[in-house]
Amino acid sequence: MSENFIPVYLAGDLVFRPQALDLFARLKSICAEYGLEGIAPFDGQAEARLLPPGRETILAFVRADRDLMDRCAAGLFCIDPFRRSPEMDPGTAVEIGYMMGLGKPMQAYTVDGRLYSEKVETYWRDVWNESLSARPEGDAPSSGCMEDPDGMLVHSEGLLQNGMVEGFIEMAGGSVAIDRDFFQAFRQAAACLSKRLYAEI
């Protein structure tokens, strides 16, 4: 890791996207403009990448990613919907929780500025041709007033993703940058995180 720039972990479903290495190269370049050293999950996986696909290889990736998060000063998280669903990549959500536990600053970004409830509603309508319905009042505390056709609460009203995700980002001093252009959203998040980190030096 560079001694001149502050190392930040680049997380999201990015490792699964086409041309992932090229994508990370561009994100690292943007980071450098703001005095940050972007660290991609791939950067710690050199040995694991020599292993055949399977359980042990995946667990080696997990350990490598955890070690990178331990070494980085902060994290930049993509919370875009994953696999055409309303939800973000679950692995990234775990990483947000882990870095929250480490007490490290975080910032997030997304190209999808719709509220979580809107994403869920659109998913059920477009994929299953079904609608949400009003949630019957009950004794349990509720974070939403609608439910899906399976009877599951459409929670986290007013947020972009699951409340734990956005809540942890905010508790870590961050926010979510929104722009329909992926790289603009990332740039806004990187700029904000850089300002916060260098203000603490």
Side-chain angles (χ1 to χ4, degrees):
M1 294 186 182
S2 171
E3 295 181 2
N4 299 320
F5 291 166
I6 299 175
V8 297
Y9 186 67
L10 306 180
D13 64 358
L14 314 178
V15 294
F16 307 120
R17 298 192 185 195
Q19 311 301 320
L21 291 176
D22 292 340
L23 173 60
F24 277 116
R26 186 166 175 186
L27 297 184
K28 290 179 179 184
S29 178
I30 293 172
C31 283
E33 295 177 29
Y34 297 98
L36 305 175
E37 180 186 7
I39 305 295
F42 293 138
D43 295 337
Q45 298 175 358
E47 293 182 9
R49 286 164 68 185
L50 299 176
L51 301 173
R55 175 183 170 81
E56 292 308 314
T57 300
I58 296 302
L59 293 179
F61 286 160
V62 171
R63 287 189 292 271
D65 292 351
R66 179 203 59 196
D67 292 346
L68 286 179
M69 287 187 282
D70 288 343
R71 294 160 54 195
C72 286
L76 281 166
F77 295 87
C78 177
I79 63 168
D80 283 348
F82 184 54
R83 298 196 194 280
R84 303 188 186 187
S85 81
E87 318 293 340
M88 64 178 289
D89 168 45
T92 303
V94 169
E95 291 175 327
I96 288 171
Y98 184 73
M99 290 200 84
M100 175 68 181
L102 294 175
K104 297 189 177 185
M106 294 184 281
Q107 198 74 22
Y109 61 99
T110 183
V111 300
D112 192 336
R114 293 174 301 157
L115 296 178
Y116 177 71
S117 57
E118 295 178 64
K119 294 170 187 170
V120 174
E121 183 177 26
T122 300
Y123 170 78
W124 276 98
R125 183 190 66 229
D126 293 352
V127 177
W128 301 101
N129 197 30
E130 297 194 59
S131 302
L132 305 183
S133 58
R135 178 77 173 225
E137 292 188 16
D139 296 333
S142 178
S143 60
C145 61
M146 303 295 285
E147 63 181 35
D148 67 23
D150 290 335
M152 297 294 285
L153 179 70
V154 183
H155 55 78
S156 304
E157 283 194 8
L159 299 175
L160 300 167
Q161 271 293 337
N162 185 296
M164 297 297 288
V165 168
E166 207 163 335
F168 275 11
I169 293 290
E170 291 189 8
M171 286 184 221
S175 58
V176 181
I178 304 168
D179 197 291
R180 293 181 67 181
D181 181 283
F182 174 84
F183 294 104
Q184 275 301 110
F186 179 82
R187 180 179 293 278
Q188 291 172 26
C192 187
L193 183 61
S194 175
K195 184 176 180 180
R196 289 169 53 208
L197 292 174
Y198 279 97
E200 297 173 0
I201 295 177

